[in-house]
């Protein structure tokens, strides 16, 4: 590495970029994703200079060995040697990249790489990457090719939040590839050349080799102008996100039984079609579910808002399941093993049936003998852990994570069973109701979605219903009380998943 005044000046300018990119952050640890290519080599060199100016900050170089190239071991040795020259801590991470006919090697390698890098980050730490202006142009072009909107066209930000309170920072994002090449030359840096970068079967390599040079020959500043467009899209998306969040917050709640996210559809239906799309997308993001494609979303909106008010609409795309019931849109990830999962095509699909026609009788009746001891230890149910506790051990009140109710000990003396899938014609008498009602009516009155009814643990004693756990206690169960002050009472609790 050169130590001439010009080289030192170059290093100083790069350190200033790192310091500016970290503005507002106070990391105790910086982790550089260090491939050994030109961009990350220059960043590693600059980070060495930064570490001397900021001795209180831990600086770590992490090289991810993907095992995909015959030169991978040579690259790892290069990076370890250079890290020693830079007097920076070095870690080699070997990963296994998934490969298959339907898998993108680029995407799988990136996923494995970031997982390895994230393992070195804690809250407040910063992941440094050497993305530059040409990388940003590639990202914008790929977003255009995929038909993405402002969020996709916003591409990469200089500072972005990661999981667990860490951040990703890209100090070189405003620099062109040509600038970085000149800087590396001025510093006399050696770097590796990844032969896979010449393989134009990969989209980014194709853009880098075939498209971007032609664009630059016609519009020399296209890297800078595309970056400016990305920044404008990011600003637009930020304003849109703020407005969506303000509108969505009062409309989103959790299902009392499954704790799945749900969206109040009345105000959404009253909005324009464009806002319906934004709100549903925002809702899915809050729920932690992947967004549908534009075609899938358009079809979903048509079915959600065109169906009759009493129709139960069910939609599925990928592993995401959306269901409409009594003015709510419920969102969850489809589970193959869940007792209330519905089979269907992986394509967007919908079913419309009267809510009263969808009942627990669609799934076979099941019952399991249990004991008070088993309940005291806790029994796993589709909706969570069912427990029987001494009343003095219960929590005060209730919260979003559990339901509980008291019953006299006399209501639980006998043969206990947990029952699922009771016929809708079964009569029950919840506490506070004036008379017995059929289950199919009570499920509707208690706003229990049809697909969850078969998952509700019905606790019975001598074949008499004691409680629909998570929903109600039977009036007849409370009538087993002796009305004596010394009488023992127990608490039935359903700790939700």
């Amino acid at each position: 590495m050169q130590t001439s005044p010009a080289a030192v000046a170059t290093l100083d300018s790069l350190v200033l970029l790192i310091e500016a990119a970290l503005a507002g952050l106070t990391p105790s640890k910086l982790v550089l994703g260090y491939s050994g290519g030109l961009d990350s080599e220059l960043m590693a060199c600059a980070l060495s200079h930064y570490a001397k100016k900021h001795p209180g900050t831990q600086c770590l170089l992490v090289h991810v060995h993907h095992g995909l190239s015959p030169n991978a071991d040579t690259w790892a040795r290069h990076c370890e040697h250079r890290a020693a020259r830079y007097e920076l801590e070095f870690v080699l991470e070997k990963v296994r990249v998934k490969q298959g006919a339907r898998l993108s090697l680029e995407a799988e390698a990136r996923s494995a790489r970031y997982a390895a890098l994230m393992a070195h980050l804690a809250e407040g730490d910063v992941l440094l990457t050497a993305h530059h202006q040409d990388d940003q142009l590639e990202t914008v072009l790929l977003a255009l090719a995929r038909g993405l909107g402002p969020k996709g066209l916003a591409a990469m930000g200089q500072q972005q939040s990661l999981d667990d309170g860490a951040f990703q920072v890209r100090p070189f994002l405003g620099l062109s590839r040509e600038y970085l090449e000149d800087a590396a030359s001025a510093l006399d840096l050696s770097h590796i050349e990844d032969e896979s970068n010449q393989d134009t079967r990969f989209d980014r390599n194709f853009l880098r080799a075939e498209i971007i040079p032609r664009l630059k020959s016609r519009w020399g500043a296209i890297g800078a102008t595309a970056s400016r467009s990305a920044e404008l899209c990011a600003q637009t998306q930020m304003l849109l996100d703020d407005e969506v969040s303000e509108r969505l917050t009062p409309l989103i709640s959790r299902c009392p039984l499954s704790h799945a996210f749900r969206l109040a559809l009345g105000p959404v239906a009253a909005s324009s079609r464009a806002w319906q799309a934004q709100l549903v997308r925002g809702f899915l993001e809050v729920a932690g579910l992947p967004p549908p494609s534009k075609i899938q979303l358009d079809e979903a909106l048509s079915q959600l808002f065109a169906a009759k008010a009493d129709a139960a609409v069910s939609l599925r795309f990928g592993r995401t399941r959306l269901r409409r019931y009594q003015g709510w849109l419920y969102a969850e990830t489809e589970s193959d093993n869940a007792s209330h999962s519905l089979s269907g095509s992986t394509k967007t699909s919908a079913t419309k049936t009267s809510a009263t026609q969808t009942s627990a009788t669609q799934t076979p009746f099941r019952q399991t003998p249990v004991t008070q001891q088993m309940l005291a230890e806790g029994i796993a149910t589709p909706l969570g852990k069912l427990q029987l506790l001494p009343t003095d051990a219960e929590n005060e009140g209730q919260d979003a994570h559990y339901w509980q109710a008291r019953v006299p000990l006399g209501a639980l003396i006998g043969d206990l069973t947990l029952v699922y899938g009771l016929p809708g014609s079964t009569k029950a008498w919840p506490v506070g109701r004036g008379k017995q009602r059929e289950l199919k009516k009570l499920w509707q009155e208690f706003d229990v979605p049809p697909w969850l009814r078969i998952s509700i643990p019905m606790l019975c004693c001598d074949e008499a219903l004691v409680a629909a756990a998570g929903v109600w206690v039977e009036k007849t169960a409370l009538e087993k009380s002796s009305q004596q002050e010394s009488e023992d009472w127990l608490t039935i609790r359903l700790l939700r998943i």
Side-chain angles (χ1 to χ4, degrees):
M1 182 180 70
Q2 291 281 358
T3 57
S4 65
V8 172
T10 298
L11 274 178
D12 285 342
S13 66
L14 295 177
V15 169
L16 287 175
L17 286 176
I18 295 175
E19 291 172 337
L22 292 172
L25 304 177
T26 55
S28 60
K29 182 180 181 182
L30 300 179
V31 176
L32 172 62
Y34 179 38
S35 68
L38 183 142
D39 316 327
S40 71
E41 193 69 53
L42 188 60
M43 181 74 77
C45 182
L47 189 59
S48 173
H49 205 52
Y50 175 93
K52 292 179 173 63
K53 291 183 62 178
H54 303 271
T57 303
Q58 180 187 3
C59 296
L60 173 66
L61 305 185
V62 178
H63 177 78
V64 180
H65 185 305
H66 298 87
L68 298 175
S69 169
N71 299 312
D73 290 337
T74 301
W75 298 339
R77 288 192 294 271
H78 164 90
C79 290
E80 186 173 15
H81 172 71
R82 298 298 298 183
R85 288 275 303 272
Y86 298 140
E87 298 181 345
L88 293 175
E89 185 179 353
F90 174 80
V91 173
L92 173 64
E93 289 282 2
K94 291 190 174 183
V95 299
R96 180 171 295 179
V97 179
K98 294 179 182 178
Q99 299 185 56
R102 297 187 177 183
L103 296 177
S104 164
L105 188 60
E106 278 183 298
E108 294 299 329
R110 182 167 55 251
S111 177
R113 180 167 60 253
Y114 272 88
L117 294 171
M118 288 294 293
H120 294 277
L121 298 173
E123 183 177 358
D125 292 344
V126 167
L127 172 64
L128 292 176
T129 54
H131 294 108
H132 51 78
Q133 201 174 78
D134 286 26
D135 294 322
Q136 185 79 304
L137 176 56
E138 291 169 13
T139 303
V140 170
L141 292 173
L142 287 172
L144 286 171
R146 294 165 184 162
L148 301 183
K151 192 168 189 174
L153 292 171
M156 299 179 288
Q158 189 168 70
Q159 274 189 18
Q160 289 183 318
S161 298
L162 299 174
D163 293 338
D164 300 323
F167 298 89
Q168 182 171 4
V169 173
R170 302 177 176 94
F172 291 173
L173 202 57
L175 302 180
S176 68
R177 170 77 178 185
E178 291 79 12
Y179 179 93
L180 299 182
E181 289 173 344
D182 290 343
S185 177
L187 294 168
D188 195 24
L189 297 180
S190 63
H191 60 86
I192 69 169
E193 292 286 354
D194 186 345
E195 72 281 353
S196 70
N197 289 336
Q198 308 306 315
D199 189 345
T200 55
R201 291 176 300 173
F202 300 119
D203 291 341
R204 282 190 178 272
N205 291 346
F206 172 72
L207 289 174
R208 194 176 300 140
E210 304 289 341
I211 303 303
I212 290 178
R214 297 189 65 185
L215 292 176
K216 284 188 171 183
S217 68
R218 179 65 179 258
W219 300 286
I222 192 169
T225 55
S227 292
R228 186 162 64 246
S229 293
E231 185 178 355
L232 292 172
C233 285
Q235 292 174 1
T236 299
Q237 187 63 45
M238 183 175 64
L239 294 174
L240 182 58
D241 287 344
D242 289 344
E243 180 64 21
V244 168
S245 177
E246 184 174 340
R247 294 192 186 197
L248 269 182
T249 299
L251 305 182
I252 295 178
S253 65
R254 294 281 196 141
C255 172
L257 282 169
S258 68
H259 212 51
F261 284 94
R262 62 181 188 175
L263 173 67
L265 287 177
V268 180
S271 304
S272 68
R273 184 60 175 256
W275 268 110
Q276 288 175 358
Q278 291 294 335
L279 293 172
V280 171
R281 280 189 182 276
F283 166 61
L284 293 176
E285 185 173 352
V286 170
L289 297 172
S293 67
K294 183 180 184 302
I295 293 174
Q296 290 171 330
L297 183 58
D298 286 344
E299 182 178 346
L301 294 176
S302 295
Q303 299 196 39
L304 286 171
F305 299 114
K308 294 181 180 179
D310 64 344
V313 179
S314 177
L315 303 162
R316 177 178 171 179
F317 38 85
R319 301 290 292 173
T320 298
R321 172 73 75 176
L322 297 181
R323 296 181 176 98
R324 192 188 77 171
Y325 179 67
Q326 293 196 356
W328 291 96
L329 177 63
Y330 293 78
E332 59 188 348
T333 298
E334 189 76 11
S335 173
D336 292 334
N337 298 317
S339 63
H340 57 272
S341 67
L342 302 178
S343 61
S345 168
T346 57
K347 298 179 181 179
T348 304
S349 59
T351 58
K352 302 179 187 178
T353 60
S354 169
T356 59
Q357 294 174 336
T358 307
S359 69
T361 58
Q362 292 176 327
T363 292
F365 171 88
R366 293 183 292 123
Q367 64 177 354
T368 305
V370 297
T371 65
Q372 287 194 27
Q373 179 60 35
M374 292 168 64
L375 287 166
E377 294 172 356
I379 295 175
T381 78
L383 294 182
K385 185 178 182 181
L386 185 64
Q387 290 179 289
L388 194 59
L389 305 172
T391 297
D392 58 4
E394 71 179 6
N395 292 346
E396 290 295 327
Q398 297 185 28
D399 67 14
H401 300 292
Y402 67 87
W403 169 94
Q404 64 185 24
R406 297 179 181 184
V407 295
L409 176 60
L412 298 171
I413 296 177
D415 293 331
L416 299 176
T417 53
L418 274 184
V419 180
Y420 299 92
L422 280 173
S425 58
T426 304
K427 295 289 185 69
W429 196 338
V431 169
R433 298 299 171 108
K435 61 179 181 179
Q436 287 186 327
R437 298 273 281 169
E438 291 183 337
L439 277 181
K440 61 184 179 182
K441 298 293 185 183
L442 289 172
W443 294 140
Q444 294 178 55
E445 292 173 10
F446 279 91
D447 293 333
V448 178
W451 60 93
L452 292 179
R453 296 170 189 174
I454 59 175
S455 302
I456 295 173
M458 311 291 277
L459 180 60
C460 300
C461 182
D462 293 335
E463 299 185 357
L465 184 60
V466 175
V471 189
W472 74 74
V473 169
E474 278 290 291
K475 179 177 182 292
T476 52
L478 295 191
E479 291 173 349
K480 299 289 181 70
S481 170
S482 64
Q483 304 298 321
Q484 296 180 4
E485 291 186 9
S486 60
E487 181 179 14
D488 290 331
W489 285 68
L490 296 173
T491 295
I492 302 171
R493 175 186 293 172
L494 180 64
L495 185 64
R496 299 186 178 95
I497 298 173

